[in-house]
């Protein structure tokens, strides 16, 4: 095989010459009458035609570099070019014979030989490619291969099959494809059969011992995607997925586009549509300042804000590494061609630094994302949460008011609702600050509140992935603990949309979809890794951490909801606080920060007075659990009553029919 590869061009040339000779003999046999084929004059004519054909065909093939093609990677376009070049060669021979009256065979025979040559040239190349890229049928060849099932029977699937056959034939054994179109089932794509629909996946995976699944449908809505992936997840196979079409266009190699399935794929939420004209009007040609711009939320704010062409983007952060990373990312994507991107190191605790930055750049809109957000760490260091979250926000709000910022948007959290920890209480205090300041300022102050974001700094997902990678255990604090989740781009897109609606004083609440049990999240991640929960990877319950509650809320009980123009954004109406009352609360907190040795108990007691909705986690967890059990009990009672009524109606109907 190695020697053949070394002399591949020679082998191809000799094969083509033999085909040309054979085609002329066969066409002569088919077209000639009686015994003319065996006469000396005809043999001379045929010899002239064969010599001319070899010269012309080989010259054309060499000029158009057909021998430079690697046979195993040839495709339909290459084969069409062979047919065209063969036809061109035949045409040249015909014209030469006609114009110069050369002793060649008849025109009909030239035409037939041309057809035979084009078919033969393509056929033997297809056979060679099939031999080189084929799966093989021997049992030994399949030893060690990964049985692969492909979801989707479209163009992407065809390309995946082609790539797997050529580059990964020793890695994957493709058992077949899945498609929900009933008209496709039973048919073949590139030699691989479409075996069934999504509902046949578990059966096929069991019968074929499938170890890997490629999800090759790029254009599919979130609901269907979630349903199919959920079915795949139960098979125990490793799942890899094609991203959206935009990513595929950027990187045309489909196999390199395949990625592991993420929890985001299983959320089942449709893409959020934004009113980009409103956002554009808010941001275009303006100066935008983002505090905490190097963090997970802040950096995504930067990415989305620059797409709306601000005149200047000021990224303000205390951590220079993150700040540098987002600045370089935006510059590498050429956003600095239209926007002046400025990275500023500084702390929101430093009033003089803030004053200097606001005075120099005079921002039109400020997104305040800088905050300490890690609940357990802030329970250990409550004064740091107060200094950074409360006083950092208070400083930024006052400086924004001083320099007549048009809009100030606070990034808040669901943990500010009935907080059970210092972090949540400080964020609720931040909401109170912007609401109080809005009443006495020309600046429009508002807050946007949302839950956990997947992939953010401190998110549970990176921890779970790391624990799975080292073989477990995966640690969950409580089997019933529930959280709302949203992707970072989703959350930030809605923040920008909410900012375009803000008139001042609102607390915008984002629709986070259905709450997710963290235990179920851990199980899904383990299954997506092709492993079995509590068999291959143990899930360990560690107990609730300090300040942690079982269920997060997005709205305080005393608040009402108002719908905005966007179906994912609502406005809460919490009771307003007067600026005088706010200053008194700030004064009390200021006194706390003067004493580093003050106990956590004293700090919490003071916070409970300042934030009336702040409760101990045990108290809230019992209340929430009882409330949920009461709701579930009512649902069960209602279901039982409905069933009794249905049974009664059924019996009555049957009795009536008998009597009739």
């Amino acid at each position: 095989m190695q020697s053949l590869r070394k002399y591949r061009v020679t082998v191809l040339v000799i094969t083509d010459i033999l085909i040309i000779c054979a085609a002329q003999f066969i066409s002569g046999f088919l077209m000639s009458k009686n015994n003319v084929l065996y006469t000396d004059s005809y043999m001379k004519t045929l010899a002239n035609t064969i010599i001319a054909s070899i010269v012309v065909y080989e010259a054309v093939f060499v000029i158009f570099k057909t021998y430079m093609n690697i046979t195993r990677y040839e495709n339909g376009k290459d084969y069409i070019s062979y047919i065209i070049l063969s036809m061109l060669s035949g045409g040249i021979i015909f014209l030469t014979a006609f114009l110069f009256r050369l002793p060649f065979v008849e025109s009909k025979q030239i035409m037939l030989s041309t057809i035979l040559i084009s078919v033969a040239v393509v056929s033997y190349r297809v056979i060679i490619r099939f031999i080189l890229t084929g799966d093989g049928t021997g049992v030994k060849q399949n030893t060690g291969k990964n049985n692969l099932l492909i979801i989707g029977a479209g163009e992407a699937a065809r390309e995946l099959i082609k790539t797997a056959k050529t580059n990964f034939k020793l890695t994957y054994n493709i058992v077949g494809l899945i498609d929900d179109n009933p008209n496709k089932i039973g048919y073949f794509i590139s030699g691989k059969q479409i075996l069934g629909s999504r509902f046949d996946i578990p059966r096929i995976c069991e019968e074929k011992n499938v170890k890997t699944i490629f999800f090759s449908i790029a254009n599919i809505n979130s609901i269907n995607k979630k349903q199919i992936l959920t079915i795949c997840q139960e098979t125990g196979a490793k799942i890899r997925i094609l991203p959206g079409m935009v990513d595929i266009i950027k990187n045309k190699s489909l196999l390199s586009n395949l990625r592991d399935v993420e929890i985001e794929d299983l959320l089942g939420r449709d893409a959020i549509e934004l009113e980009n004209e409103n956002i554009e009007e808010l941001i275009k040609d303006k100066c935008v300042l983002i505090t905490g711009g190097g963090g997970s939320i802040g950096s995504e704010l930067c990415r989305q804000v620059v797409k709306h062409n601000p005149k200047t983007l000021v990224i303000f952060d205390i951590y220079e590494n993150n700040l540098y990373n987002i600045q370089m990312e935006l510059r590498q994507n050429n956003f600095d061609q239209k926007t002046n991107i400025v990275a500023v190191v500084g702390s929101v605790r430093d009033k003089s630094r803030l004053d200097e930055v606001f005075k120099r750049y005079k921002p039109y809109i400020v997104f305040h994302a800088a905050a300490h957000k890690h609940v357990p760490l802030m329970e250990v260091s409550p004064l740091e949460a107060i200094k950074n979250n409360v006083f950092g926000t208070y400083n930024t709000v006052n400086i924004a008011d001083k320099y007549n910022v048009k809009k100030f948007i606070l990034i808040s959290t669901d943990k500010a609702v009935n907080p059970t920890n210092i972090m949540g209480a400080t964020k609720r205090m931040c909401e109170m600050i912007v609401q109080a300041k809005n009443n006495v300022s020309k600046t429009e102050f508002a807050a946007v509140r949302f839950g956990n974001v997947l992939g953010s700094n401190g998110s549970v997902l990176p921890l779970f992935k790391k624990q799975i990678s080292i073989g477990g255990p995966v640690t969950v604090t409580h089997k019933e603990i529930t959280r709302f989740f949203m992707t970072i781009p989703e959350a930030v897109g809605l923040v920008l949309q909410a900012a375009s609606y803000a008139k001042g004083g609102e607390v915008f609440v984002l629709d986070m979809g259905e709450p997710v049990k963290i235990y179920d999240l851990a199980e899904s991640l383990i299954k997506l890794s092709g492993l079995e929960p509590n068999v291959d990877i143990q899930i360990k319950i560690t107990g609730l951490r300090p300040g942690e509650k079982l269920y997060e809320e997005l709205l305080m009980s005393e608040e009402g909801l108002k719908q905005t123009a966007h179906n994912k954004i609502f406005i809460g109406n919490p009771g307003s606080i007067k600026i005088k009352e706010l200053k008194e609360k700030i004064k009390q907190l200021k006194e706390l920060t003067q004493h580093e040795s003050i106990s956590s108990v004293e700090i919490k007691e003071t916070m409970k007075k300042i934030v009336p909705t702040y409760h101990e986690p045990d108290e809230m967890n019992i209340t929430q659990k009882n409330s949920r059990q009461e709701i579930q009990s009512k649902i069960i009672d209602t279901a039982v009553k409905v069933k009794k009524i249905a049974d009664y109606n059924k019996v009555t109907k049957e009795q009536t029919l008998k009597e009739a």
Side-chain angles (χ1 to χ4, degrees):
M1 184 62 75
Q2 290 297 329
S3 59
L4 284 176
R5 288 176 182 173
K6 185 177 179 180
Y7 300 105
R8 58 176 298 278
V9 174
T10 305
V11 171
L12 291 174
V13 170
I14 292 172
T15 307
D16 287 342
I17 291 172
L18 292 175
I19 285 172
I20 292 167
C21 295
Q24 294 295 352
F25 274 107
I26 292 169
S27 62
F29 178 79
L30 295 174
M31 301 294 294
S32 299
K33 297 177 182 178
N34 302 324
N35 295 325
V36 70
L37 182 64
Y38 303 106
T39 63
D40 291 339
S41 61
Y42 180 80
M43 292 303 292
K44 279 185 180 181
T45 303
L46 183 60
N48 291 336
T49 307
I50 289 174
I51 292 168
S53 297
I54 291 171
V55 171
V56 172
Y57 273 92
E58 290 305 314
V60 169
F61 284 179
V62 169
I63 289 169
F64 288 93
K65 300 180 179 179
T66 60
Y67 295 120
M68 300 301 290
N69 293 339
I70 300 175
T71 310
R72 71 163 60 227
Y73 299 127
E74 287 178 334
N75 55 32
K77 290 181 180 179
D78 297 310
Y79 301 140
I80 290 171
S81 72
Y82 292 145
I83 294 172
I84 293 171
L85 292 177
S86 298
M87 295 298 180
L88 174 64
S89 301
I92 292 172
I93 294 167
F94 174 78
L95 288 173
T96 303
F98 178 77
L99 293 173
F100 298 100
R101 305 293 178 182
L102 296 175
F104 285 0
V105 296
E106 294 179 0
S107 58
K108 289 182 180 179
Q109 187 174 333
I110 292 174
M111 290 174 62
L112 178 58
S113 64
T114 300
I115 294 170
L116 292 174
I117 291 168
S118 61
V119 171
V121 166
V122 169
S123 297
Y124 91 82
R125 281 172 163 80
V126 169
I127 292 169
I128 291 173
R129 178 180 164 228
F130 179 78
I131 292 170
L132 292 175
T133 62
D135 291 334
T137 55
V139 176
K140 289 184 179 179
Q141 285 182 310
N142 283 331
T143 303
K145 282 190 179 183
N146 217 329
N147 283 349
L148 170 66
L149 181 68
I150 297 177
I151 310 296
E155 183 64 24
R158 188 184 71 81
E159 289 297 321
L160 283 174
I161 293 170
K162 174 184 170 185
T163 307
K165 280 183 175 181
T166 53
N167 298 338
F168 296 91
K169 65 178 182 178
L170 298 178
T171 306
Y172 295 114
N173 173 43
I174 304 171
V175 300
L177 299 95
I178 292 292
D179 199 283
D180 282 340
N181 185 345
N183 297 323
K184 288 185 178 182
I185 295 174
Y187 286 87
F188 290 79
I189 291 181
S190 298
K192 299 300 177 182
Q193 190 174 22
I194 302 166
L195 302 173
S197 70
R198 69 177 72 177
F199 304 107
D200 298 308
I201 292 172
R203 173 183 59 80
I204 293 167
C205 286
E206 185 176 356
E207 289 176 359
K208 306 285 186 180
N209 192 27
V210 172
K211 298 297 182 183
T212 305
I213 295 174
F214 283 178
F215 186 97
S216 71
I217 311 172
N219 292 322
I220 185 172
N221 65 51
S222 300
I223 302 299
N224 275 312
K225 185 178 185 180
K226 176 188 176 183
Q227 289 174 351
I228 295 173
L229 289 176
T230 301
I231 293 171
C232 293
Q233 184 182 314
E234 297 304 318
T235 64
K238 175 73 173 176
I239 309 167
R240 305 208 72 205
I241 185 171
L242 276 181
M245 286 306 300
V246 174
D247 295 319
I248 292 174
I249 291 168
K250 286 180 182 177
N251 184 357
K252 293 184 179 180
S253 171
L254 286 187
L255 210 65
S256 61
N257 267 299
L258 285 167
R259 59 169 174 79
D260 290 339
V261 179
E262 302 287 352
I263 289 298
E264 292 95 319
D265 298 310
L266 297 175
L267 288 179
R269 287 202 292 266
D270 289 325
I272 293 174
E273 295 182 7
L274 301 175
E275 297 170 10
N276 287 315
E277 290 182 5
N278 291 356
I279 300 172
E280 185 91 3
E281 185 180 348
L282 176 68
I283 292 172
K284 188 175 181 181
D285 297 326
K286 309 291 197 315
C287 177
V288 180
L289 186 145
I290 300 173
T291 70
S296 50
I297 299 297
S299 60
E300 182 62 25
L301 272 168
C302 294
R303 292 183 193 100
Q304 295 196 27
V305 163
V306 290
K307 293 177 182 177
H308 298 283
N309 302 314
K311 182 179 180 180
T312 305
L313 173 62
V314 182
I315 313 171
F316 188 84
D317 202 295
I318 188 62
Y319 185 43
E320 74 276 13
N321 288 351
N322 283 349
L323 188 62
Y324 175 77
N325 289 339
I326 185 61
Q327 181 191 37
M328 293 307 298
E329 179 188 324
L330 297 179
R331 287 181 176 176
Q332 285 167 3
N333 289 316
N334 300 317
F335 287 115
D336 58 336
Q337 293 181 3
K338 291 185 177 180
T339 300
N340 179 27
I341 299 171
V342 183
V344 179
V345 177
S347 170
V348 290
R349 298 187 190 187
D350 188 341
K351 285 190 289 185
S352 60
R353 181 61 171 152
L354 282 171
D355 192 281
E356 178 190 348
V357 172
F358 274 70
K359 182 179 180 181
R360 181 173 181 180
Y361 296 104
K362 294 182 172 55
Y364 177 83
I365 180 171
V366 173
F367 291 96
H368 182 52
H372 286 325
K373 305 181 184 76
H374 199 282
V375 170
L377 290 182
M378 293 307 101
E379 288 298 292
V380 176
S381 307
L383 280 183
E384 292 305 305
I386 293 170
K387 290 175 188 176
N388 198 67
N389 294 358
V390 176
F391 287 101
T393 299
Y394 192 60
N395 291 339
T396 314
V397 161
N398 287 330
I399 300 296
D401 174 52
K402 177 180 176 180
Y403 288 97
N404 297 313
V405 169
K406 176 62 177 175
K407 287 193 180 188
F408 183 104
I409 307 298
L410 167 72
I411 306 301
S412 191
T413 169
D414 56 355
K415 291 172 180 62
V417 184
N418 293 322
T420 59
N421 49 67
I422 286 293
M423 194 284 282
T426 59
K427 292 300 284 184
R428 176 58 191 140
M429 186 64 189
C430 293
E431 292 180 354
M432 294 161 68
I433 289 170
V434 298
Q435 288 177 309
K437 197 66 180 180
N438 184 73
N439 295 328
V440 294
S441 174
K442 292 181 180 179
T443 300
E444 297 167 359
F445 291 95
V448 182
R449 185 191 291 163
F450 52 87
N452 301 276
V453 283
L454 294 166
S456 67
N457 297 333
S459 170
V460 72
L461 290 184
L463 173 63
F464 283 174
K465 288 178 180 178
K466 185 176 180 181
Q467 290 173 334
I468 291 169
S469 69
I470 62 174
V474 172
T475 55
V476 178
T477 58
H478 195 286
K479 199 163 186 177
E480 296 299 318
I481 195 165
T482 304
R483 293 291 181 266
F484 292 93
F485 283 101
M486 182 179 276
T487 66
I488 295 176
E490 273 184 309
V492 169
L494 290 174
V495 166
L496 295 180
Q497 189 70 79
S500 71
Y501 297 152
K503 301 298 180 186
E506 304 97 338
V507 173
F508 291 96
V509 180
L510 304 187
D511 180 358
M512 299 290 292
E514 293 297 318
V516 178
K517 277 189 177 182
I518 302 298
Y519 191 90
D520 294 344
L521 200 65
E523 283 190 323
S524 293
L525 273 176
I526 294 169
K527 288 177 180 178
L528 290 175
S529 303
L531 301 169
E532 185 69 24
N534 292 316
V535 177
D536 301 311
I537 300 286
Q538 292 298 316
I539 301 177
K540 183 180 179 182
I541 305 299
T542 60
L544 290 173
R545 297 174 297 178
E548 193 171 42
K549 57 182 176 180
L550 286 174
Y551 312 103
E552 296 291 4
E553 307 158 273
L554 289 177
L555 200 65
M556 294 169 66
S557 57
E558 66 266 31
E559 297 178 51
L561 274 181
K562 287 194 298 184
Q563 178 74 57
T564 67
H566 197 286
N567 64 352
K568 295 285 185 182
I569 303 174
F570 299 86
I571 300 175
N573 294 309
S576 60
I577 178 174
K578 302 296 183 184
I579 194 69
K580 183 178 179 182
E581 183 184 352
L582 174 71
K583 287 182 177 179
E584 182 58 37
K585 291 177 184 290
I586 291 292
K587 183 180 177 182
Q588 293 178 53
L589 289 176
K590 192 70 175 176
E591 290 175 0
L592 280 179
T593 61
Q594 304 303 316
H595 307 284
E596 289 291 337
S597 60
I598 192 169
S599 69
S600 296
V601 174
E602 291 179 76
I603 295 170
K604 287 183 178 181
E605 289 303 317
T606 304
M607 285 301 295
K608 286 177 184 177
K609 294 174 184 176
I610 291 171
V611 180
T613 53
Y614 177 28
H615 302 282
E616 290 296 328
D618 290 344
E619 177 187 343
M620 285 301 301
N621 289 334
I622 291 170
T623 303
Q624 289 175 332
K625 194 168 185 178
N626 290 339
S627 175
R628 286 178 178 245
Q629 287 174 347
E630 185 179 343
I631 292 170
Q632 289 174 352
S633 178
K634 287 180 180 179
I635 291 172
I636 292 169
D637 289 343
T638 304
V640 170
K641 288 177 183 178
V642 169
K643 188 176 185 304
K644 284 181 178 178
I645 293 170
D647 291 342
Y648 174 78
N649 290 337
K650 184 179 178 181
V651 171
T652 305
K653 186 177 180 180
E654 289 175 353
Q655 190 173 354
T656 304
L657 288 172
K658 284 180 181 179
E659 291 174 356

